[in-house]
Amino acid sequence: MADGNITKHVMYGAVAPDDFESMLDLDRYNARSTAFDKIISATHDHFWDPLDKKYIDFDEPFDIENVAMIPEELSPVLKLPYVAQTLTDPKQRIAFINHMQLWNFSSILHGEQGALNLSASLCHVLLDQGAQEYAANQTREEARHVTAFAKYIKARWGRPVECGAALKALLVEIIEAPEVYKKIIGMQMLVEGLAMGAFANGYKHNRDPLAKKLFQLVMTDEAFHHKFGKIWADRTVPEMSQAERDIMEDWAAHCAQSLLFNQGSPTQQQAIYSRFGLDPERVVADIMERRKSRDPNRKMRGETNIFRVLIKTLLNAGLITTRTRGFYAAYVDMDELAAEGERMVGDDIAEDGIRYLQEINFKDRSSRQVSIAAE
């Protein structure tokens, strides 16, 4: 078991990444958990190939010079006095929106690369064969996400932009952590939860049909990755001591805060602002001034709000209690969130995507039932 790991179920037992000898233990080969069998076998249902145009065609055009990828009302920074006075030309405002989308897509690409490396690292440490096979499947799926988002960015902008400092630091911290719980909470729940919110939001609002198709295809995979974290939470959280729960809650809050800062702070997007002659510090000053006039009880709303989805992921997993509830309550209505139940906004989109993939992958077979439910 890796030092500091909090293991409550044998299927999450782990060894050091350089302890290959433990993988050769004879008893291990006859001790395979069945907890992940459903999401492993469903891999065939949501297979897709970003290099095959029958699934997605990255040559599909989009007038990026004249059409904003998202409606201007969904880019509130353009309403700030300093930004509004600087960016007065409509085409300049379109360019700003679309370059901000480049930053968002680049963040997604870097996050997918992090997920690839993390799931590969789990293959080296998880002892249970079922958990290890699941991690290997996810590694393959994350690899196609990296390919797909890299191809999309190349088609629309040429190349990505640098990973934001906050996101980069968090990804490195998660991937290099020796504790399995840090990897699962940090990536499978927080980063994947944020991604599901971002993809659902993009699917709903992005005006580029190619982007919408890409979001849906990736969501058919991510919904299962999210379920891996849910299985872990169901088997682990109820068995924790109070001290262990505190450790995990603090780690979850730390990861959530890092992701909130990465997505919400203009200082993380300096390259974009500088390109348009904007001083990030002046943008921050306008944001702070606007907050003074806002209702202090205002909360994040909308089923596809990415941070709301992230917080709901933690709430459903039992990783928010009265001890940390106040931190999240500053952003969302926790009672409203709890009343919504466990179903996630991305589930419906993913299920529609799986039906689309089944029509391609199983067109000569009888219809198959769509399900992304975990045990």
Side-chain angles (χ1 to χ4, degrees):
M1 181 182 296
D3 290 343
N5 215 2
I6 300 173
T7 302
K8 295 299 177 180
H9 197 283
V10 67
M11 65 191 185
Y12 294 105
V15 297
D18 58 353
D19 181 14
F20 178 69
E21 287 189 24
S22 292
M23 297 296 170
L24 303 179
D25 181 83
L26 299 184
D27 290 333
R28 172 183 170 272
Y29 288 117
N30 289 326
R32 184 188 188 281
S33 169
T34 61
F36 310 107
D37 287 356
K38 287 185 178 179
I39 52 179
I40 291 172
S41 63
T43 281
H44 304 292
D45 286 356
H46 58 103
F47 171 81
W48 59 283
D49 182 356
L51 303 179
D52 188 337
K53 289 186 177 183
K54 74 181 178 185
Y55 294 101
I56 186 168
D57 184 358
F58 289 98
D59 292 329
E60 187 176 329
F62 180 77
D63 189 359
I64 200 167
E65 300 295 327
N66 297 299
V67 180
M69 285 187 162
I70 63 170
E72 186 167 311
E73 58 267 24
L74 296 182
S75 185
V77 70
L78 286 171
K79 298 177 183 178
L80 296 172
Y82 168 58
V83 177
Q85 292 163 13
T86 304
L87 303 181
T88 56
D89 179 10
K91 289 198 70 170
Q92 195 178 30
R93 295 169 75 83
I94 289 172
F96 177 82
I97 290 171
N98 290 347
H99 274 83
M100 195 60 77
Q101 285 298 299
L102 167 60
W103 190 86
N104 289 337
F105 274 98
S106 296
S107 295
I108 291 170
L109 173 61
H110 298 310
E112 296 292 350
Q113 183 63 59
L116 191 164
N117 282 60
L118 180 131
S119 48
S121 75
L122 286 175
C123 291
H124 292 282
V125 301
L126 290 172
L127 272 173
D128 182 82
Q129 292 176 75
Q132 195 175 53
E133 183 179 354
Y134 168 78
N137 271 1
Q138 181 173 342
T139 303
R140 171 67 185 89
E141 291 165 4
E142 302 294 4
R144 70 177 172 228
H145 298 173
V146 172
T147 295
F149 280 107
K151 284 180 70 66
Y152 179 78
I153 291 171
K154 184 176 181 179
R156 295 293 181 252
W157 295 281
R159 71 194 301 260
V161 296
E162 293 287 339
C163 186
L167 177 60
K168 182 178 181 180
L170 180 62
L171 290 174
V172 170
E173 188 175 9
I174 293 171
I175 292 165
E176 293 185 352
E179 303 92 345
V180 171
Y181 81 84
K182 284 189 174 182
K183 294 178 181 291
I184 294 176
I185 293 175
M187 184 62 70
Q188 307 292 117
M189 304 186 76
L190 271 298
V191 176
E192 298 281 16
L194 183 76
M196 284 295 279
F199 299 155
N201 191 61
Y203 181 81
K204 181 178 181 180
H205 297 294
N206 200 294
R207 289 167 170 162
D208 182 359
L210 178 59
K212 293 172 79 74
K213 175 59 68 64
L214 175 57
F215 284 136
Q216 185 170 41
L217 288 174
V218 174
M219 288 175 79
T220 66
D221 295 331
E222 298 290 8
F224 288 90
H225 304 169
H226 206 237
K227 295 300 180 185
F228 179 79
K230 181 66 167 59
I231 295 172
W232 171 86
D234 288 345
R235 302 294 179 92
T236 302
V237 174
E239 303 302 321
M240 293 188 300
S241 68
Q242 186 60 52
E244 290 167 338
R245 178 184 289 276
D246 291 351
I247 291 171
M248 291 197 187
E249 279 194 57
D250 288 345
W251 171 246
H254 163 70
C255 294
Q257 190 168 39
S258 296
L259 292 169
L260 283 161
F261 183 74
N262 178 72
Q263 289 295 110
S265 174
T267 58
Q268 295 293 300
Q269 305 159 346
Q270 289 192 30
I272 301 296
Y273 286 98
S274 297
R275 181 186 180 95
F276 290 88
L278 294 164
D279 178 357
E281 296 302 325
R282 290 190 62 182
V283 177
V284 170
D286 266 11
I287 290 174
M288 298 306 293
E289 192 63 32
R290 182 174 62 183
R291 285 177 180 171
K292 292 179 183 178
S293 61
R294 278 184 174 175
D295 179 354
N297 297 316
R298 177 178 174 174
K299 306 295 183 182
M300 293 177 176
R301 299 195 179 276
E303 62 177 5
T304 60
N305 182 286
I306 59 176
F307 300 119
R308 198 172 181 278
V309 174
L310 180 154
I311 295 169
K312 183 175 179 178
T313 298
L314 292 178
L315 184 65
N316 287 347
L319 288 170
I320 298 177
T321 65
T322 54
R323 183 173 166 273
T324 53
R325 185 183 176 94
F327 167 70
Y328 302 102
Y331 301 101
V332 302
D333 185 323
M334 298 297 290
D335 293 332
E336 180 181 86
L337 211 58
E340 291 178 359
E342 293 193 355
R343 190 159 180 83
M344 303 299 288
V345 62
D347 289 348
D348 290 335
I349 301 170
E351 288 176 3
D352 285 343
I354 293 172
R355 293 186 186 95
Y356 164 76
L357 291 174
Q358 286 179 343
E359 289 177 5
I360 298 174
N361 296 333
F362 304 103
K363 61 181 179 181
D364 297 325
R365 304 185 190 182
S366 59
S367 61
R368 295 160 66 96
Q369 184 177 358
V370 174
S371 176
I372 56 174
E375 289 184 0

